[in-house]
Amino acid sequence: MKGKLCAAIVAEDSAKMIETAEAALAEGADLVEFRLDHLRRVESGMVRQLRKFSSRCIITVREKSQGGAFTGTEEERIGLLRSFSSINPLYLDIELDAARKDPAVAKELRGKVRNLIVSQHYFDSTPDPATLAGIYKEASEMGTIAKIVSMAKSAQDNLNVMALYEEVKERGSLVAFTMGELGVLTRILCLYSGSPFSFVSFGERASAPGQIPLKMMRKLMAQSK
């Protein structure tokens, strides 16, 4: 069974973010990722507003070193993850570095949400196979899903990342693909290799280089049936 399509929702105000999420789901996205780090401010009522999306969303407050836009303190960022974990989202994302620094927080969040994604991003290159395998092992021990995304500089980078699926013991426990022009194909292939979902862009902004628009991805997948 192939994975699902998750539309990354990037907006600077909560009303626009919710409106865009509703439109993405209406147009065929299976899931939406709320990139809360892009909001100018998180309004007090937003936890309640996102509750209706809980079974179809990923909650992410990405730190800057991992490609995010959050400008507050780490304490404030973790506080937001704690607050939004109260809606029991289908997925909540925490970076591997953050989980390493405070394993107790990762353990706490894992107990509050349906699936904890422990993620690692490499925006400049792709590590060697041994490093990738080590990251997968560490992240999968801390969360229910390991997410590993790197920048593809060669075809070999794509092969090295996709080879991680051969290490997976439980299907659906790894999300791995590459970014950039050379990595576009892996965003499709991962869906047929065991990833529970792949990210697509929707609306005016993408959250990462190489994301395929939702409409185009749906067309490609329909043609592959």
Side-chain angles (χ1 to χ4, degrees):
M1 179 183 293
K2 66 178 180 295
K4 298 179 178 182
L5 299 182
C6 178
I9 308 300
V10 177
E12 293 185 351
D13 69 83
S14 58
K16 180 66 174 177
M17 181 168 279
I18 291 170
E19 177 188 336
T20 305
E22 290 173 338
L25 292 170
E27 291 195 24
D30 301 296
L31 306 165
V32 289
E33 179 189 33
F34 289 107
R35 285 295 303 268
L36 302 179
D37 50 295
H38 284 272
L39 291 172
R40 285 193 297 266
R41 70 185 187 91
V42 178
E43 296 173 4
S44 58
M46 197 167 184
V47 172
R48 175 182 50 79
Q49 291 174 312
L50 294 196
R51 193 175 297 279
K52 65 180 179 180
F53 298 98
S54 63
S55 64
R56 302 182 71 182
C57 80
I58 302 173
I59 296 295
T60 301
V61 188
R62 183 73 69 225
E63 63 178 25
K64 279 195 169 183
S65 67
Q66 284 287 288
F70 191 71
T71 57
T73 66
E74 181 65 0
E75 184 178 358
E76 289 169 338
R77 196 177 73 85
I78 296 300
L80 284 175
L81 290 175
R82 283 188 168 118
S83 294
F84 283 91
S85 72
S86 67
I87 71 171
N88 189 25
L90 185 57
Y91 301 102
L92 184 142
D93 183 300
I94 187 172
E95 298 79 6
L96 178 57
D97 281 348
R100 283 171 174 162
K101 290 173 185 174
D102 198 338
V105 168
K107 185 176 181 180
E108 174 194 340
L109 292 173
R110 184 170 180 171
K112 289 183 175 180
V113 301
R114 289 174 244 192
N115 295 282
L116 180 67
I117 300 169
V118 177
S119 62
Q120 178 66 40
H121 297 77
Y122 298 94
F123 286 91
D124 298 319
S125 61
T126 295
D128 61 82
T131 299
L132 288 170
I135 291 295
Y136 166 65
K137 183 176 185 298
E138 186 179 8
S140 62
E141 288 172 352
M142 292 185 168
T144 47
I145 295 174
K147 178 187 175 189
I148 303 172
V149 183
S150 64
M151 181 63 71
K153 296 292 184 68
S154 68
Q156 188 61 53
D157 287 342
N158 291 335
L159 293 173
N160 290 344
V161 170
M162 294 306 294
L164 284 171
Y165 288 100
E166 298 174 11
E167 307 288 327
V168 175
K169 295 179 181 178
E170 184 178 348
R171 189 177 177 88
S173 62
L174 172 67
V175 176
F177 54 85
T178 58
M179 295 181 284
E181 261 185 62
L182 290 177
V184 170
L185 187 58
T186 67
R187 291 179 177 272
I188 302 170
L189 293 177
C190 72
L191 293 169
Y192 298 89
S193 300
S195 177
F197 53 81
S198 184
F199 294 93
V200 295
S201 62
F202 185 81
E204 300 172 0
R205 298 168 64 184
S207 64
Q211 279 182 352
I212 302 171
L214 171 61
K215 186 176 181 179
M216 182 183 296
M217 181 72 103
R218 292 189 70 212
K219 185 175 181 179
L220 289 170
M221 293 180 68
Q223 292 173 343
S224 68
K225 288 182 180 178

